[in-house]
Amino acid sequence: MHEVSLSDGVITLSPLRLDDVEAHLAGEDEALVRWLNGGPGTREGVEAYVRHCREQWDAAGPLRAFGIRVGAVEALAGTIDLRWEGEGLAPGQVNVAYGLYPSWRGRGLATRAVLLACRYAAGEGARQAVIQADPGNPASAAVAHRAGFIPGEPPRGGRGATFDRYLRDLHDAAR
C-alpha cells in the first residue's frame, strides 16, 4: 500500500493502522457508538475493521478510511471514511462519514477533515460528496453546513433509517 497523507497544517489525514486501535477504544463514547459505530467497539472488532480498511487501500476498493490526526505527534482525534459504493449513492457520488473523540470536539477539526477528504475524493474522480446525518444529530449537520454542503433529497427506494442528506459538488474541491 502506498501511504497517503493529507494535511492542512492543523490536521493530517492518513490511513487507519493497527496502532490506532487502543486510541480508538479509549476515545469511543456514547455519541460515537450511537451516531457512527452502531455498537460499542471491542479490540477484536476494531482490529478486524482496521485490517479490512488496509485491505481496501491495498486493493483500491470502494472504502478509504482515515485517522484524523492532530499535532506533531499526530494524536488520533477521530476517523473519517469515504465510500464510493452504498445504498442511495449514484455513480460519481462518495459518502463521507466522520466522528471525533470527545476531547477533540468543538474545535472545527471535523470540518477540516471533511474538506481534506473532499479534496482527496475529487482527485480520485468523485463528482459529488454526500453526508448522511441522523436528524437527531445536529452537530453532524453543522459540520456539513460549515463544509459547504447543502440539503439534498433522500434517495428513492431507500430502506431502514431515514437520514438527512447533504450534498456538495466537488468540481472545485481538488484545488
Side-chain angles (χ1 to χ4, degrees):
M1 179 188 114
H2 87 95
E3 196 66 26
V4 174
S5 181
L6 313 167
S7 181
D8 68 359
V10 174
I11 66 164
T12 300
L13 302 184
S14 61
L16 288 172
R17 48 189 189 246
L18 283 173
D19 64 358
D20 291 328
V21 170
E22 191 66 38
H24 175 77
L25 289 169
E28 188 178 74
D29 70 341
E30 182 181 327
L32 276 180
V33 168
R34 180 176 182 191
W35 304 122
L36 190 64
N37 297 351
T42 64
R43 174 168 305 286
E44 297 78 21
V46 175
E47 286 176 357
Y49 178 71
V50 170
R51 282 190 191 93
H52 171 71
C53 294
R54 299 300 288 198
E55 291 167 2
Q56 288 289 294
W57 279 101
D58 289 343
L63 168 64
R64 300 288 186 285
F66 295 93
I68 302 169
R69 305 176 194 286
V70 180
V73 297
E74 295 191 349
L76 188 67
T79 64
I80 185 165
D81 68 63
L82 301 171
R83 292 182 188 267
W84 273 266
E85 293 177 2
E87 185 178 333
L89 291 179
Q93 287 184 321
V94 61
N95 189 76
V96 182
Y98 44 85
L100 291 175
Y101 307 129
S103 62
W104 297 101
R105 293 181 189 140
R107 303 180 192 191
L109 302 178
T111 302
R112 288 176 171 278
V114 168
L115 292 171
L116 278 173
C118 283
R119 190 166 64 212
Y120 173 82
E124 294 293 307
R127 294 186 311 271
Q128 188 174 58
V130 178
I131 292 175
Q132 299 182 79
D134 188 292
N137 186 354
S140 188
V143 169
H145 288 294
R146 285 191 302 271
F149 286 69
I150 59 171
E153 294 295 318
R156 295 185 189 272
R159 301 183 311 270
T162 302
F163 292 98
D164 292 335
R165 234 166 113 90
Y166 301 91
L167 307 172
R168 179 174 177 213
D169 289 331
L170 298 179
H171 63 276
D172 62 347
R175 292 181 217 138

